[in-house]
Amino acid sequence: MAGKMLAFAVPLIASGVLQQSFNAVDVAVVGRYSTSAAIAAVGSNGPVISILVNLFLGIAIGANVVISTYIGRRDAEGVRRSVATVMCVTLLSGILLLALGLFLARPILEAMAAPPDVIELASRYLRIYFCGMPFIMVYNFGSAIMRSLGDTNRPFYSLLLATLCNLVLDWLFTGVMGMGVDGVAWATVISNALNAGVMILFLVKEPEPYTLVLSRFKLYKPDFVEMLRIGVPAGLQGMVFSISNIFIQSAINKFGADAIAGSATALSYEAYCYYIISAFAQSAIAFTGQNYGAGQFGRCKRVWMVSLIYGAVFSAVANLVISFNSDTFLSIFTHDPAVVQYAKMRLTTVLMYQWIATSYEVSGSYMRGLGYSVTPMLLTVLGTCVLRLAWVWLFPRIDNSFTMLLNIYPISWVVTGGAVVTAALIVQRRAFRLKTHLDTPHYQNPD
């Protein structure tokens, strides 16, 4: 099992690295051809994007669990219904996010107290970026379907092609044509459109019952409700998490454009390393869902343990390698001494300890694979979001420094990790009892 999970996770890690490369390449290109304000404008919009997108990415997690469980039960008709439902949700969510992004980009940036020399560029970048949101949703929901089948390779190939396209267009639009922030934004939109097209091609050619057929598009209520039951708490967790990060970003903004640019540069590497943790969290969902659907409780426990070990070890290695070679890695993005100084502060205060987050990310995903989604959401919201908001209020009264502000990340990871691991131990016992004694446990609401 450990070998299968590693083979499943490696393409996910590579896909995450490529997905993050869209924004990282944008930051690197504007860093070479523009100003620190442009770096800040492109690099600081992650919390804004996340707060609008995370709810729907959570529903994609719910789709993964539902389809995986049907596969574990060998229910072909259930798989067919859930695939049709997923694609309907994809279209609706993409259109809704496009509208939200166009109207809410600037108000959110203003609420974050973005500096005057950053907010105009950042709002332009975001409005263009959200034009590609329907394409992003097609890729993410399509990837959820393929992960349920155990296929993480083809989503990687699709993303690799799109990333290469983004790299070429970034250089063409910004380096050659001098379009600045607008250039990297349109390059991202076009590349995401290519990514979505390739994903649709894969799904259309998938064998029954997984194939994508336009005439079947229908929202089947039981499957939709189950996706929402599992996915909405995960999405709300991500949204609240992003809100807390917006408050932290607002506090960072008060240190000026150099601090924003430095934080954004370091954050690119945090995102890269986070995808290692995320890959094993997604592996935990897919493998737990199938084994739980088949009633293999012992294998469910092994999935959890293997995911925890792999996630912590691999992410720790990446965290330390980047932190101890910060000059080399940061030089890819900028040579501005002030920006580099702030970036190093974030690397040594946050990135070095990021592996601790494996504890709650993987354990929360394990509970979702068992059908429990509200419990990890509540614990994560309390352990990270509430704690971080309190810290943003408290830290200026203790030591109003950049490093003191960032200390909340490792503190919140330790607190949340302990709580979620303990909850997972309790939840698995209840889930196994329900599976044993109930005829249709999958559609019960254990939370």
Side-chain angles (χ1 to χ4, degrees), residues 296-355:
Q296 299 291 326
F297 302 150
R299 292 178 67 84
C300 289
K301 293 179 181 179
R302 288 197 295 275
V303 165
W304 181 26
M305 289 298 103
V306 170
S307 299
L308 279 174
I309 293 170
Y310 275 160
V313 170
F314 284 110
S315 60
V317 170
N319 294 160
L320 295 175
V321 167
I322 294 171
S323 297
F324 288 132
N325 296 277
S326 58
D327 288 330
T328 300
F329 284 100
L330 293 176
S331 66
I332 297 173
F333 292 94
T334 181
H335 294 287
D336 187 320
V339 174
V340 169
Q341 180 183 5
Y342 279 108
K344 284 185 175 180
M345 290 182 195
R346 179 151 189 151
L347 290 179
T348 55
T349 307
V350 181
L351 183 66
M352 283 185 65
Y353 307 100
Q354 190 188 39
W355 59 271

Side-chain angles (χ1 to χ4, degrees), residues 358-374:
T358 305
S359 56
Y360 71 83
E361 290 286 359
V362 168
S363 300
S365 294
Y366 175 60
M367 284 189 273
R368 292 186 182 97
L370 296 174
Y372 290 70
S373 194
V374 173

Side-chain angles (χ1 to χ4, degrees), residues 49-389:
I49 295 170
S50 295
I51 195 173
L52 295 174
V53 172
N54 273 337
L55 176 62
F56 300 97
L57 295 185
I59 297 172
I61 291 174
N64 192 349
V65 174
V66 170
I67 297 173
S68 295
T69 305
Y70 278 133
I71 292 172
R73 294 174 176 176
R74 302 183 184 277
D75 184 347
E77 184 57 33
V79 172
R80 193 175 289 111
R81 289 197 314 268
S82 58
V83 169
T85 300
V86 166
M87 297 317 296
C88 286
V89 174
T90 301
L91 295 176
L92 293 173
S93 61
I95 294 170
L96 180 58
L97 280 169
L98 170 60
L100 289 174
L102 292 176
F103 287 106
L104 296 181
R106 188 179 181 92
I108 294 176
L109 288 168
E110 290 174 345
M112 292 169 62
D117 58 341
V118 172
I119 192 168
E120 287 296 332
L121 292 173
S123 60
R124 274 166 44 196
Y125 178 87
L126 283 172
R127 287 195 177 103
I128 297 171
Y129 180 94
F130 272 90
C131 290
M133 197 51 65
F135 307 128
I136 294 174
M137 288 297 102
V138 168
Y139 173 77
N140 281 287
F141 277 92
S143 295
I145 294 173
M146 290 191 170
R147 285 196 302 271
S148 303
L149 310 178
D151 184 356
T152 54
N153 288 312
R154 284 183 295 170
F156 166 71
Y157 298 144
S158 175
L159 199 55
L160 176 60
L161 179 63
T163 302
L164 293 174
C165 176
N166 186 56
L167 178 61
V168 173
L169 292 179
D170 270 351
W171 170 78
L172 177 64
F173 291 164
T174 302
V176 177
M177 300 173 63
M179 293 174 63
V181 168
D182 289 7
V184 295
W186 281 117
T188 300
V189 171
I190 294 170
S191 301
N192 279 321
L194 174 63
N195 196 20
V198 173
M199 182 60 63
I200 290 173
L201 182 63
F202 285 153
L203 291 172
V204 167
K205 293 186 175 182
E206 194 69 31
E208 288 288 351
Y210 316 109
T211 187
L212 181 66
V213 179
L214 184 61
S215 60
R216 291 181 188 166
F217 276 29
K218 181 179 178 181
L219 206 64
Y220 291 91
K221 185 177 179 180
D223 297 311
F224 180 57
V225 169
E226 184 66 359
M227 290 175 195
L228 293 181
R229 187 185 70 78
I230 297 171
V232 167
L236 290 175
Q237 173 186 315
M239 289 182 70
V240 176
F241 193 82
S242 297
I243 290 172
S244 70
N245 284 337
I246 281 179
F247 279 92
I248 294 177
Q249 184 64 50
S250 299
I252 291 172
N253 290 349
K254 295 176 183 177
F255 289 93
D258 289 334
I260 299 172
S263 178
T265 301
L267 188 60
S268 295
Y269 289 111
E270 289 174 34
Y272 278 125
C273 294
Y274 170 78
Y275 280 112
I276 298 174
I277 300 173
S278 177
F280 290 106
Q282 292 179 58
S283 299
I285 289 177
F287 280 78
T288 300
Q290 290 193 21
N291 284 294
Y292 184 64
Q296 299 291 326
F297 302 150
R299 292 178 67 84
C300 289
K301 293 179 181 179
R302 288 197 295 275
V303 165
W304 181 26
M305 289 298 103
V306 170
S307 299
L308 279 174
I309 293 170
Y310 275 160
V313 170
F314 284 110
S315 60
V317 170
N319 294 160
L320 295 175
V321 167
I322 294 171
S323 297
F324 288 132
N325 296 277
S326 58
D327 288 330
T328 300
F329 284 100
L330 293 176
S331 66
I332 297 173
F333 292 94
T334 181
H335 294 287
D336 187 320
V339 174
V340 169
Q341 180 183 5
Y342 279 108
K344 284 185 175 180
M345 290 182 195
R346 179 151 189 151
L347 290 179
T348 55
T349 307
V350 181
L351 183 66
M352 283 185 65
Y353 307 100
Q354 190 188 39
W355 59 271
I356 301 171
T358 305
S359 56
Y360 71 83
E361 290 286 359
V362 168
S363 300
S365 294
Y366 175 60
M367 284 189 273
R368 292 186 182 97
L370 296 174
Y372 290 70
S373 194
V374 173
T375 302
M377 177 200 73
L378 292 176
L379 291 175
T380 303
V381 167
L382 290 173
T384 58
C385 305
V386 174
L387 190 58
R388 289 177 185 180
L389 291 177

